[in-house]
Amino acid sequence: MSRSIWFVAEHQDGQLHRGAAELAAAARAVGDETVAVVCSAPGGTVAQQVAPFADRVLLVEDPSLEPYTAGIWAQAVVALAKEHAPAAILLPHAPLGRDLGPVLAARLEAGLMTDCIALEWDEGLVGKRSVLRRKLVARERVTTSIAVATCQRAAFSAVAAGEPGTVETVEPSIDAEAARTRFVAMERAEMGEENITEADVVVAGGRGLGDAEKFGVVQDLAAALGGVMGASRPVVDQGWVAHDRQIGSSGITVRPKLYFALGISGAVQHVVGMRESDVIVAINKDPQAPIFEYAHYGIADDLFKVVPALLAELES
Amino acid sequence: MRIAVCMKAVVEPQSRIELDGDGNLRREQLRYEVNEYDLYAVEEAIRLVDSNDGEVTVITLGTEGAVQGLRKGLAMGAADAIHIDCDPYALDPSGVAALLAAALREGAYDLVLAGVESDDLGGAQVGVLLAEELGYAATTLVVGTSAPSEGSMEVRRELEAGEHSTVEIQLPAVLTIQSGINEPRYPSLKGIMAAKRKELVEKTPADLGFAELPLPRVAALGLELPPPRELARMLEGSAEETAAELVRILREEERAL
């Protein structure tokens, strides 16, 4: 029997998320057939957008499917999965998959592996995930007949668009009245004047700065390099820097030509948002900080000494 | 309103992580601390009952570090605690959710809060699985709550790249709490003393109706060391020397300036 691997297509405002092509790659690596599941309001083009990345597209259309809520999407996907019994359902390890993945797993009585960085098929879906702050990699196998997995962003290289797969519209099996969550509103990010995702140079600061006042050195270096300031999550949580500056898994992904990490230890949540940068420089007092495993150049020293010296050097 | 908060003892980041000859984690070397995300959940629960009346129960499943975590929750202001004494490594997330649900079902909680994920294993699934076990609604990545009214409440969800959505959720519900939602309080000395007199109920899986532990749906196959990463080229010397060398490299070798 051929092995059918599904992925749930992520989309917003009518646009397919580019992560869909990564999920397609993950699906293709472990299955014979790649199926995209699209839940959308009638009249959209998401199914056509995702078709070049899948052998087949299952399209469920209903006005209640947009904007997204876990309850209604779960009803749609669970009904389809019960009917067609795929070998696995993949989702992004992102707000969509974190919300929907466990609901699907529970209702399908399926095992769920989250934040996978690699997948293979070996008598079942086998996934690898980083644990204990990336010090170890755990290998796991789902033992139920349907597997659910969420995949880390950027861990799988996106497949190129190919011949579009066939789009099949399926009858929705939805009881919108039964849903106990209701979408109220969406807040867009308030992007400042500077667009951090387009910047050639990003200078980011972390907890090692110590406090909000000292963040000025990050701004100074960014200004001297004609770049833009960024930050790691703890700094944003502390309120030192605005939310729209946060780089990492719950913030922005950047790929500048030059990235400076100042006082950033290198937690996985941060690293996934900057590791694709062309040149990465890390300055951190702790020579054991994991950020040095991602940086191309490292200085293990007091950043309050090194950054002023850098500013002087750049002026000369 | 009655709120339960799920807590977990996680491996301390400074613990020595080593594998033995058979590829098993040397567990005797591990030290534990409270999962940081759970402290945000405890704080949010206490704030909700402070402004809407009610009580907070903290619950954990585990062995080492488990009771210390509950004591911290009690010292922060929870009224009572439940400890399910069970080896967490013997369960997968669906098993943990099944046991937690068995312990919480009787309590008829309006709200169950949990951290978005654990800091050590990062599964990010027990909260929602628990909601499904209890038949509750669930929302994840919550960074803001509002006062419940007429059996529902509005919560703010963190999406990516600075975006947020607001969702109305019917109670009873499970919310997974993201860091930064509040500033968790430090327990006061008075709180710590009071915590010693609060009720801490001990339960075994058998007490909860599990003669045998639930079978895992995800089997652990093994642990391995991550592939070694190439370390950065480290620049040595005084601040002036390293700064000068870095600027030279970025200008001449990388042509990045």
Side-chain angles (χ1 to χ4, degrees), chain A residues 14-83:
Chain A
Q15 288 299 311
L16 182 70
H17 193 285
R18 58 184 170 77
E22 296 169 11
L23 290 180
R28 208 175 274 185
V30 292
D32 305 313
E33 182 195 44
T34 300
V35 177
V37 178
V38 176
C39 300
S40 74
T45 64
V46 174
Q48 286 69 39
Q49 293 173 52
V50 78
F53 304 107
D55 300 315
R56 272 201 303 151
V57 180
L58 294 176
L59 170 63
V60 194
E61 285 186 324
D62 192 85
S64 66
L65 288 166
E66 283 189 68
Y68 161 86
T69 56
I72 297 183
W73 279 45
Q75 288 181 20
V77 179
V78 166
L80 274 183
K82 282 188 172 164
E83 187 185 336

Coordinates of all heavy atoms in Angstrom, one line a residue, chain A residues 14-83:
Chain A
G14 N -5.1 35.0 2.4 CA -5.1 34.5 1.1 C -3.8 34.0 0.5 O -3.7 33.6 -0.6
Q15 N -2.7 34.2 1.3 CA -1.4 33.9 0.9 C -0.9 32.6 1.6 O -0.9 32.5 2.8 CB -0.4 35.0 1.2 CG -0.6 36.2 0.3 CD -0.4 36.0 -1.1 OE1 0.6 35.3 -1.5 NE2 -1.3 36.4 -2.0
L16 N -0.4 31.7 0.8 CA 0.3 30.5 1.3 C 1.5 30.9 2.1 O 2.3 31.7 1.5 CB 0.6 29.5 0.2 CG 1.2 28.2 0.6 CD1 0.2 27.3 1.3 CD2 1.8 27.5 -0.6
H17 N 1.8 30.3 3.2 CA 3.0 30.6 3.9 C 4.2 29.8 3.2 O 4.0 28.7 2.8 CB 2.9 30.1 5.4 CG 4.0 30.6 6.3 ND1 5.3 30.1 6.3 CD2 4.0 31.6 7.2 CE1 6.0 30.7 7.1 NE2 5.3 31.6 7.8
R18 N 5.3 30.5 3.2 CA 6.4 29.8 2.4 C 6.9 28.5 3.1 O 7.5 27.7 2.5 CB 7.6 30.7 2.1 CG 8.2 31.4 3.4 CD 9.3 32.4 2.9 NE 9.8 33.1 4.1 CZ 10.6 32.6 5.0 NH1 11.1 31.4 4.9 NH2 10.9 33.4 6.0
G19 N 6.6 28.4 4.4 CA 6.9 27.2 5.1 C 6.2 25.9 4.6 O 6.7 24.8 4.8
A20 N 5.2 26.1 3.8 CA 4.5 25.0 3.2 C 5.4 24.1 2.3 O 5.3 22.9 2.3 CB 3.3 25.4 2.4
A21 N 6.3 24.8 1.6 CA 7.3 24.0 0.8 C 8.3 23.2 1.6 O 8.8 22.2 1.1 CB 8.0 25.0 -0.2
E22 N 8.5 23.7 2.8 CA 9.4 22.9 3.7 C 8.6 21.7 4.2 O 9.2 20.6 4.3 CB 9.8 23.8 4.9 CG 10.6 25.0 4.6 CD 10.8 26.0 5.7 OE1 10.5 25.6 6.9 OE2 11.3 27.1 5.4
L23 N 7.4 21.8 4.6 CA 6.6 20.7 5.0 C 6.4 19.7 3.9 O 6.5 18.4 4.1 CB 5.2 21.1 5.5 CG 5.1 21.9 6.8 CD1 3.7 22.2 7.1 CD2 5.7 21.0 7.9
A24 N 6.3 20.2 2.7 CA 6.2 19.3 1.5 C 7.5 18.5 1.4 O 7.5 17.3 1.1 CB 6.0 20.1 0.2
A25 N 8.6 19.1 1.6 CA 9.9 18.4 1.6 C 10.0 17.3 2.6 O 10.4 16.2 2.4 CB 11.1 19.4 1.8
A26 N 9.5 17.6 3.8 CA 9.5 16.6 4.9 C 8.6 15.5 4.6 O 8.9 14.3 4.8 CB 9.0 17.3 6.2
A27 N 7.4 15.8 4.0 CA 6.5 14.7 3.6 C 7.1 13.8 2.5 O 7.0 12.6 2.6 CB 5.2 15.4 3.1
R28 N 7.7 14.5 1.6 CA 8.2 13.7 0.4 C 9.3 12.7 0.9 O 9.5 11.7 0.3 CB 8.8 14.7 -0.6 CG 8.8 14.2 -2.0 CD 9.2 15.2 -3.0 NE 8.1 16.1 -3.4 CZ 8.3 17.0 -4.3 NH1 9.5 17.2 -4.9 NH2 7.3 17.7 -4.7
A29 N 10.1 13.2 1.9 CA 11.2 12.3 2.4 C 10.7 11.0 3.0 O 11.5 10.1 3.1 CB 12.0 13.1 3.4
V30 N 9.5 11.0 3.5 CA 9.1 9.8 4.2 C 7.9 9.0 3.6 O 7.5 8.0 4.0 CB 8.7 10.1 5.7 CG1 9.9 10.5 6.5 CG2 7.6 11.2 5.8
G31 N 7.3 9.6 2.5 CA 6.1 9.0 2.0 C 6.2 8.7 0.5 O 7.1 9.1 -0.2
D32 N 5.2 8.0 0.0 CA 5.1 7.8 -1.5 C 4.2 8.9 -2.1 O 4.4 9.2 -3.3 CB 4.4 6.5 -1.8 CG 5.1 5.3 -1.0 OD1 6.3 5.3 -1.1 OD2 4.4 4.5 -0.4
E33 N 3.3 9.4 -1.4 CA 2.4 10.4 -1.9 C 2.3 11.6 -0.9 O 2.2 11.4 0.3 CB 1.0 9.8 -2.0 CG 0.0 10.8 -2.6 CD -1.5 10.3 -2.5 OE1 -1.8 9.8 -1.4 OE2 -2.2 10.4 -3.4
T34 N 2.4 12.8 -1.5 CA 2.4 14.0 -0.6 C 1.1 14.7 -0.9 O 0.7 15.0 -2.0 CB 3.5 15.0 -1.0 OG1 4.8 14.3 -0.8 CG2 3.5 16.2 -0.2
V35 N 0.3 14.9 0.2 CA -1.0 15.5 0.1 C -1.1 16.8 0.9 O -0.8 16.7 2.1 CB -2.1 14.5 0.6 CG1 -3.5 15.2 0.5 CG2 -2.1 13.2 -0.3
A36 N -1.5 17.9 0.3 CA -1.7 19.1 1.1 C -3.1 19.2 1.4 O -4.0 19.0 0.6 CB -1.3 20.3 0.2
V37 N -3.4 19.6 2.7 CA -4.7 19.8 3.2 C -4.9 21.3 3.3 O -4.2 21.9 4.0 CB -5.0 19.1 4.5 CG1 -6.4 19.3 5.0 CG2 -4.8 17.6 4.4
V38 N -5.9 21.8 2.6 CA -6.2 23.3 2.7 C -7.5 23.5 3.3 O -8.5 23.0 2.8 CB -6.1 23.9 1.3 CG1 -6.5 25.4 1.4 CG2 -4.7 23.7 0.7
C39 N -7.5 24.2 4.4 CA -8.8 24.7 5.1 C -8.9 26.1 4.8 O -8.1 26.9 5.2 CB -8.7 24.4 6.6 SG -8.5 22.7 7.1
S40 N -10.0 26.5 4.0 CA -10.1 28.0 3.7 C -11.5 28.3 3.5 O -12.4 27.5 3.3 CB -9.2 28.3 2.5 OG -9.8 27.9 1.3
A41 N -11.7 29.6 3.5 CA -13.1 30.2 3.1 C -13.2 30.0 1.6 O -12.3 29.9 0.9 CB -13.1 31.6 3.5
P42 N -14.5 29.9 1.1 CA -14.7 29.7 -0.3 C -14.1 30.8 -1.1 O -14.1 31.9 -0.7 CB -16.2 29.6 -0.4 CG -16.7 29.3 0.9 CD -15.8 29.9 1.9
G43 N -13.6 30.4 -2.3 CA -13.2 31.4 -3.3 C -11.7 31.8 -3.2 O -11.3 32.7 -4.0
G44 N -11.0 31.2 -2.3 CA -9.5 31.5 -2.2 C -8.7 30.8 -3.3 O -9.2 30.0 -4.0
T45 N -7.4 31.1 -3.3 CA -6.5 30.4 -4.3 C -5.4 29.7 -3.6 O -4.5 29.3 -4.2 CB -5.9 31.5 -5.2 OG1 -5.0 32.3 -4.4 CG2 -6.9 32.3 -5.9
V46 N -5.6 29.4 -2.2 CA -4.5 28.8 -1.5 C -4.2 27.4 -2.1 O -3.1 26.9 -2.2 CB -4.8 28.7 0.0 CG1 -3.7 27.9 0.7 CG2 -4.8 30.1 0.6
A47 N -5.3 26.7 -2.5 CA -5.2 25.3 -3.0 C -4.3 25.4 -4.3 O -3.4 24.5 -4.5 CB -6.5 24.7 -3.3
Q48 N -4.5 26.4 -5.1 CA -3.7 26.5 -6.4 C -2.3 26.9 -6.0 O -1.4 26.4 -6.7 CB -4.4 27.5 -7.3 CG -5.6 27.1 -8.0 CD -6.8 27.0 -7.1 OE1 -7.0 27.7 -6.2 NE2 -7.6 25.9 -7.3
Q49 N -2.1 27.7 -5.0 CA -0.8 28.1 -4.6 C 0.1 26.9 -4.1 O 1.3 26.8 -4.3 CB -0.8 29.2 -3.6 CG -1.4 30.5 -4.1 CD -1.5 31.5 -2.9 OE1 -0.6 31.7 -2.1 NE2 -2.7 32.0 -2.7
V50 N -0.6 26.0 -3.4 CA 0.1 24.9 -2.8 C 0.3 23.7 -3.7 O 1.1 22.8 -3.5 CB -0.5 24.5 -1.4 CG1 -1.8 23.6 -1.6 CG2 0.5 23.7 -0.5
A51 N -0.6 23.6 -4.8 CA -0.6 22.5 -5.7 C 0.8 22.1 -6.2 O 1.1 20.9 -6.4 CB -1.6 22.7 -6.8
P52 N 1.6 23.1 -6.6 CA 2.9 22.7 -7.2 C 3.9 22.0 -6.2 O 4.9 21.6 -6.6 CB 3.5 24.1 -7.6 CG 2.4 25.0 -7.7 CD 1.4 24.6 -6.7
F53 N 3.5 22.0 -4.9 CA 4.3 21.3 -3.9 C 3.8 20.0 -3.5 O 4.3 19.3 -2.6 CB 4.5 22.2 -2.7 CG 5.0 23.6 -3.0 CD1 4.2 24.7 -3.0 CD2 6.3 23.7 -3.4 CE1 4.7 25.9 -3.3 CE2 6.8 25.0 -3.8 CZ 6.0 26.1 -3.7
A54 N 2.7 19.5 -4.1 CA 2.0 18.3 -3.6 C 1.5 17.5 -4.8 O 1.3 18.0 -5.9 CB 0.9 18.6 -2.7
D55 N 1.4 16.1 -4.5 CA 0.8 15.3 -5.6 C -0.7 15.5 -5.7 O -1.3 15.3 -6.7 CB 1.1 13.8 -5.2 CG 2.5 13.5 -5.1 OD1 3.3 14.0 -6.0 OD2 3.0 12.9 -4.2
R56 N -1.3 15.8 -4.5 CA -2.7 16.0 -4.4 C -3.0 17.1 -3.4 O -2.3 17.3 -2.4 CB -3.4 14.7 -3.9 CG -3.8 13.8 -5.0 CD -4.9 12.8 -4.6 NE -4.6 12.0 -3.4 CZ -5.5 11.6 -2.6 NH1 -6.8 11.9 -2.8 NH2 -5.2 10.9 -1.5
V57 N -4.1 17.8 -3.6 CA -4.6 18.8 -2.6 C -6.0 18.4 -2.3 O -6.8 18.2 -3.1 CB -4.5 20.2 -3.2 CG1 -5.0 21.2 -2.2 CG2 -3.2 20.6 -3.8
L58 N -6.2 18.3 -1.0 CA -7.6 18.1 -0.5 C -8.0 19.5 0.1 O -7.4 20.1 1.0 CB -7.6 17.1 0.7 CG -7.3 15.7 0.3 CD1 -7.2 14.8 1.5 CD2 -8.3 15.1 -0.7
L59 N -9.0 20.0 -0.6 CA -9.5 21.4 -0.2 C -10.8 21.3 0.5 O -11.8 20.8 0.0 CB -9.6 22.2 -1.6 CG -10.3 23.6 -1.5 CD1 -9.6 24.5 -0.6 CD2 -10.5 24.2 -2.8
V60 N -10.8 21.9 1.7 CA -12.1 22.0 2.5 C -12.4 23.4 2.5 O -11.7 24.3 3.0 CB -11.9 21.5 3.9 CG1 -13.3 21.3 4.5 CG2 -11.2 20.2 4.0
E61 N -13.6 23.8 2.0 CA -14.0 25.2 2.0 C -15.2 25.4 2.8 O -16.2 24.7 2.7 CB -14.3 25.7 0.5 CG -13.0 25.8 -0.3 CD -13.3 26.4 -1.6 OE1 -14.4 26.1 -2.2 OE2 -12.5 27.2 -2.1
D62 N -15.1 26.4 3.7 CA -16.3 26.8 4.5 C -16.0 28.2 5.1 O -14.9 28.4 5.5 CB -16.5 25.8 5.7 CG -17.9 25.9 6.3 OD1 -18.8 25.4 5.8 OD2 -17.9 26.7 7.3
P63 N -17.0 29.0 5.1 CA -16.8 30.4 5.7 C -16.2 30.3 7.1 O -15.5 31.3 7.5 CB -18.2 31.0 5.6 CG -19.0 30.2 4.7 CD -18.4 28.8 4.7
S64 N -16.6 29.3 7.9 CA -16.1 29.3 9.3 C -14.6 29.0 9.4 O -14.1 29.0 10.5 CB -16.9 28.3 10.1 OG -16.7 27.0 9.6
L65 N -14.0 28.6 8.3 CA -12.5 28.2 8.4 C -11.6 29.4 8.4 O -10.4 29.2 8.6 CB -12.2 27.2 7.3 CG -12.8 25.8 7.4 CD1 -12.7 25.0 6.1 CD2 -12.1 25.0 8.6
E66 N -12.1 30.5 8.1 CA -11.2 31.7 8.2 C -11.9 32.8 8.9 O -13.1 33.0 8.7 CB -10.8 32.2 6.8 CG -9.7 31.3 6.2 CD -9.2 31.9 4.9 OE1 -8.5 32.9 4.9 OE2 -9.5 31.3 3.8
P67 N -11.2 33.6 9.8 CA -9.9 33.3 10.2 C -9.8 32.0 11.0 O -10.8 31.5 11.5 CB -9.5 34.5 11.1 CG -10.6 35.6 10.8 CD -11.8 34.8 10.3
Y68 N -8.6 31.5 11.1 CA -8.3 30.3 11.8 C -8.7 30.2 13.2 O -8.5 31.2 14.0 CB -6.8 30.0 11.7 CG -6.3 29.0 12.7 CD1 -6.3 27.7 12.4 CD2 -5.8 29.4 14.0 CE1 -5.8 26.7 13.4 CE2 -5.4 28.5 14.9 CZ -5.4 27.1 14.6 OH -5.0 26.2 15.5
T69 N -9.4 29.1 13.6 CA -9.5 28.7 15.0 C -9.2 27.2 15.1 O -9.6 26.5 14.2 CB -10.8 29.0 15.7 OG1 -11.9 28.3 14.9 CG2 -11.1 30.5 15.8
A70 N -8.6 26.8 16.1 CA -8.2 25.4 16.2 C -9.4 24.5 16.2 O -9.4 23.4 15.5 CB -7.4 25.1 17.5
G71 N -10.5 24.9 16.9 CA -11.6 24.0 17.0 C -12.2 23.6 15.6 O -12.5 22.4 15.4
I72 N -12.4 24.6 14.7 CA -13.0 24.3 13.5 C -12.1 23.6 12.5 O -12.5 22.7 11.8 CB -13.7 25.5 12.9 CG1 -14.8 26.0 13.9 CG2 -14.3 25.3 11.6 CD1 -15.5 27.2 13.5
W73 N -10.9 24.0 12.5 CA -9.9 23.3 11.6 C -9.7 21.9 12.1 O -9.6 21.0 11.2 CB -8.5 24.0 11.7 CG -8.4 25.2 10.8 CD1 -9.3 26.2 10.6 CD2 -7.3 25.6 9.9 NE1 -8.9 27.2 9.7 CE2 -7.6 26.8 9.3 CE3 -6.1 25.0 9.6 CZ2 -6.8 27.4 8.4 CZ3 -5.2 25.6 8.7 CH2 -5.6 26.8 8.1
A74 N -9.7 21.7 13.4 CA -9.6 20.3 13.9 C -10.7 19.4 13.4 O -10.5 18.3 12.9 CB -9.5 20.3 15.4
Q75 N -11.9 20.0 13.4 CA -13.1 19.2 13.0 C -12.9 18.8 11.5 O -13.1 17.6 11.1 CB -14.4 20.0 13.0 CG -14.9 20.3 14.5 CD -16.2 21.1 14.4 OE1 -16.8 21.2 13.4 NE2 -16.5 21.7 15.5
A76 N -12.5 19.7 10.7 CA -12.3 19.5 9.3 C -11.2 18.4 9.0 O -11.5 17.5 8.2 CB -12.0 20.8 8.5
V77 N -10.1 18.6 9.6 CA -9.0 17.7 9.3 C -9.2 16.3 9.9 O -8.9 15.3 9.3 CB -7.6 18.3 9.9 CG1 -6.5 17.4 9.6 CG2 -7.4 19.7 9.2
V78 N -9.8 16.3 11.1 CA -10.0 15.0 11.8 C -11.0 14.1 10.9 O -10.8 13.0 10.7 CB -10.6 15.1 13.2 CG1 -11.2 13.8 13.8 CG2 -9.4 15.6 14.1
A79 N -12.1 14.8 10.4 CA -13.0 14.1 9.6 C -12.4 13.5 8.4 O -12.6 12.3 8.0 CB -14.2 15.0 9.2
L80 N -11.5 14.3 7.7 CA -10.8 13.8 6.5 C -9.9 12.7 6.8 O -9.8 11.7 6.1 CB -10.0 15.0 5.9 CG -10.6 15.9 5.0 CD1 -9.6 16.9 4.5 CD2 -11.2 15.2 3.8
A81 N -9.2 12.8 7.9 CA -8.2 11.8 8.3 C -8.8 10.5 8.6 O -8.3 9.4 8.3 CB -7.3 12.3 9.4
K82 N -10.0 10.6 9.3 CA -10.7 9.3 9.6 C -11.2 8.6 8.4 O -11.2 7.4 8.3 CB -11.9 9.7 10.6 CG -11.4 9.9 12.0 CD -12.6 10.0 13.0 CE -12.1 10.1 14.4 NZ -13.1 10.6 15.3
E83 N -11.5 9.4 7.4 CA -12.0 8.8 6.1 C -10.9 8.2 5.3 O -11.0 7.1 4.8 CB -12.8 9.9 5.3 CG -13.5 9.3 4.1 CD -14.1 10.4 3.3 OE1 -14.4 11.5 3.8 OE2 -14.3 10.1 2.1

